[in-house]
Amino acid sequence: MSFPRPAGVSRNRLTTGVLAAGVVLASLLASPAALADKTEDAIQYRQAVFQTLAWQFSPMGAMVKGKQDYDAEEFRTRAERLALLAQMPWEGFIAGSYDGDTDALSKIESDRAGFDKRAEALMTQSRALADAAASQDLDALRSQFVETAKTCKGCHQQYRAD
Amino acid sequence: MSFPRPAGVSRNRLTTGVLAAGVVLASLLASPAALADKTEDAIQYRQAVFQTLAWQFSPMGAMVKGKQDYDAEEFRTRAERLALLAQMPWEGFIAGSYDGDTDALSKIESDRAGFDKRAEALMTQSRALADAAASQDLDALRSQFVETAKTCKGCHQQYRAD
């Protein structure tokens, strides 16, 4: 199979090793022109996932900060989406996709283990946020929101140019 | 609450009426400049969701057509993601967001009931595809994939310029 396997979905968490091997294999099998297209597609894909994720995150932040009324159902729906979206961008970080129209640093390639740990942290923290949202314990929810936001920021500081 | 409520999530399906009312209210409360930003954000958001959705859909198509080996777990993971992503783009179709960098036609505004029916169809068909993927009945899965693809195409023909 030449397509990189999807990361995540808790009931079938594929290991990062398998994912990385799939990506490398896919790169070896592709022609140079197809590879350029594939690289651009991967960049656009991961950016699209993060944009979708940010859209869900923003009103949750407004609720946590009291700038928007807390709506338990909306918060829960958005937190659940966030936890699922958090599993998706990683297959877009393929070899050779750190030039061009991207802020992602090539450090992701040279320090893949460190990056994968950050990716894992986002999946874990956003899952915990969805669980906190379901419980409707507002203190837990607020503190878990902050933890999740810190996870985003920590990764950006290490692996994103801005 | 000024933020449009999220559509979908089966355990708490909010009605289109509530969603539309939220969007109208949000428009009335926003300043003209904030409104322009909001419109652009909404366009980019819905495009990001559809791009993420297409990325999940593509390898499923390759498997159905025999261009890629069928991998039950990958298919199921991607189908599950598709069903969840299918609930997300609709809140991006807000009043006044049919000019500018978008292929979405203003017919969406003038025929909102028709558009909402198409949106509902994508949610239903992609949910059925995820169920078929879980059952691993290959004939059912293939035929449900085709139904889902038809739902995309049918909506594009009516409401998208291309």
Side-chain angles (χ1 to χ4, degrees):
Chain A
M1 192 186 81
S2 66
F3 198 90
R5 285 156 175 269
V9 177
S10 56
R11 67 168 177 262
N12 178 39
R13 177 73 54 81
L14 296 166
T15 67
T16 308
V18 170
L19 175 62
V23 170
V24 170
L25 186 63
S27 303
L28 290 173
L29 293 173
S31 72
L35 196 60
D37 282 353
K38 198 182 168 65
T39 301
E40 203 175 307
D41 285 353
I43 291 172
Q44 286 180 9
Y45 165 70
R46 70 197 188 208
Q47 289 175 346
V49 178
F50 284 120
Q51 199 171 354
T52 304
L53 193 150
W55 176 280
Q56 305 301 328
F57 205 56
S58 169
M60 291 163 65
M63 287 187 219
V64 164
K65 290 170 196 159
K67 292 182 182 172
Q68 181 178 319
D69 287 348
Y70 172 64
D71 179 306
E73 275 310 312
E74 174 175 352
F75 200 103
R76 192 163 73 162
T77 298
R78 295 202 184 278
E80 200 57 55
R81 290 175 178 177
L82 192 76
L84 290 153
L85 288 162
Q87 299 171 350
M88 298 188 202
W90 319 116
E91 63 177 318
F93 291 91
I94 61 174
S97 67
Y98 307 99
D99 292 321
D101 195 13
T102 177
D103 289 329
L105 299 176
S106 59
K107 188 183 170 188
I108 292 169
E109 214 155 49
S110 60
D111 177 28
R112 188 74 201 200
F115 181 72
D116 287 343
K117 206 179 276 183
R118 300 280 185 170
E120 198 65 46
L122 183 64
M123 292 189 259
T124 305
Q125 297 295 347
S126 58
R127 185 68 258 159
L129 183 58
D131 292 345
S135 79
Q136 296 186 31
D137 171 343
L138 290 189
D139 287 337
L141 184 152
R142 243 177 240 117
S143 105
Q144 187 52 42
F145 180 86
V146 172
E147 282 310 306
T148 309
K150 275 187 196 164
T151 309
C152 299
K153 199 176 174 187
C155 188
H156 293 169
Q157 285 173 334
Q158 289 291 318
Y159 300 99
R160 193 176 74 166
D162 63 6
Chain B
M1 192 187 80
S2 66
F3 199 87
R5 283 155 175 272
V9 178
S10 55
R11 65 169 178 260
N12 178 39
R13 177 73 53 82
L14 297 167
T15 66
T16 307
V18 171
L19 176 62
V23 169
V24 170
L25 185 64
S27 302
L28 290 173
L29 294 173
S31 71
L35 195 61
D37 281 354
K38 197 180 167 67
T39 302
E40 203 176 306
D41 285 353
I43 292 172
Q44 285 180 9
Y45 165 69
R46 71 197 186 209
Q47 289 175 347
V49 178
F50 284 121
Q51 199 171 353
T52 304
L53 193 150
W55 175 279
Q56 304 302 328
F57 205 56
S58 168
M60 291 163 65
M63 287 187 219
V64 164
K65 291 171 195 158
K67 292 181 181 172
Q68 181 178 319
D69 287 348
Y70 171 64
D71 179 306
E73 275 309 312
E74 174 174 352
F75 201 102
R76 192 165 73 163
T77 298
R78 295 200 183 279
E80 200 57 55
R81 290 175 178 178
L82 193 75
L84 289 153
L85 288 162
Q87 299 171 349
M88 298 188 202
W90 319 116
E91 64 176 318
F93 290 92
I94 61 173
S97 67
Y98 307 100
D99 292 322
D101 195 14
T102 177
D103 290 329
L105 298 177
S106 59
K107 188 184 170 188
I108 292 169
E109 216 156 47
S110 60
D111 177 28
R112 188 73 200 201
F115 181 72
D116 287 343
K117 204 180 276 184
R118 300 280 185 171
E120 198 63 47
L122 183 63
M123 292 189 257
T124 306
Q125 297 296 346
S126 58
R127 184 68 258 158
L129 183 57
D131 293 344
S135 79
Q136 296 186 30
D137 172 342
L138 290 189
D139 287 338
L141 184 153
R142 243 178 240 116
S143 104
Q144 187 52 43
F145 180 88
V146 172
E147 283 309 307
T148 309
K150 276 187 195 164
T151 308
C152 300
K153 199 177 173 183
C155 188
H156 293 169
Q157 284 174 335
Q158 289 291 319
Y159 300 99
R160 194 177 74 165
D162 63 5

